[in-house]
Amino acid sequence: MKAYLINAKDELITEVDTKGADHSKEMIGCRNFEIYPYSVNGNDMWTSEEANLGEYNYFFAIDNVIVSGNALLLGFDVDTGDCKDVNNLSLDNLKSRVTFMGKRYIDHDKLFANFKIEEWK
């Protein structure tokens, strides 16, 4: 199924063909994924559930919403509850909305109280 992969480390956004949950996890680079609480033109954004557990990660912002790690955008069929091809979003439109932030330190003391990331030094 057609999806868009946002690779935060390599700062690339590409169209990909995902072949199910295990393949999606492999592309994102995670063991467990979650739907990020932000929809992009009605498409779900899948991210790593463990993205903020390390000392650092690579971040990007989409429409000024900060995301940790890689993400996969897929459409959603409300009738069946299944994922489907990404829709209502061109690759160029997505690229124009994403700003890569590079490698950032994650302050775990402030992660849950007041999320804070700082430039990696």
Side-chain angles (χ1 to χ4, degrees):
M1 128 185 35
K2 175 183 158 184
Y4 294 143
L5 176 66
I6 302 173
N7 182 322
K9 181 178 180 182
D10 296 331
E11 299 188 357
L12 294 171
I13 303 172
T14 55
E15 182 177 314
V16 296
D17 182 28
T18 182
K19 296 167 179 53
D22 288 338
H23 188 234
S24 295
K25 288 177 191 176
E26 184 179 322
M27 284 192 284
I28 295 171
C30 67
R31 291 178 298 167
N32 298 301
F33 53 68
E34 63 185 352
I35 298 177
Y36 199 81
Y38 180 74
S39 175
V40 183
N41 286 37
N43 296 286
D44 290 334
M45 182 167 32
W46 294 82
T47 61
S48 170
E49 189 175 71
E50 307 97 5
N52 291 319
L53 297 180
E55 181 180 359
Y56 68 89
N57 205 347
Y58 295 84
F59 287 77
F60 67 91
I62 180 164
D63 302 332
N64 296 317
V65 174
I66 296 174
V67 181
S68 177
N70 299 331
L72 192 66
L73 273 68
L74 286 162
F76 181 74
D77 188 327
V78 294
D79 294 327
T80 65
D82 295 326
C83 292
K84 65 179 187 176
D85 288 348
V86 68
N87 58 45
N88 300 321
L89 182 66
S90 72
L91 188 60
D92 287 336
N93 180 276
L94 177 61
K95 287 180 178 181
S96 72
R97 297 164 69 174
V98 171
T99 303
F100 292 103
M101 301 171 65
K103 187 177 187 179
R104 299 283 189 230
Y105 168 74
I106 300 170
D107 186 342
H108 290 97
D109 292 334
K110 298 176 183 170
L111 185 62
F112 297 106
N114 186 11
F115 183 73
K116 182 177 179 183
I117 60 171
E118 299 173 357
E119 184 176 353
W120 183 261
K121 296 176 186 169

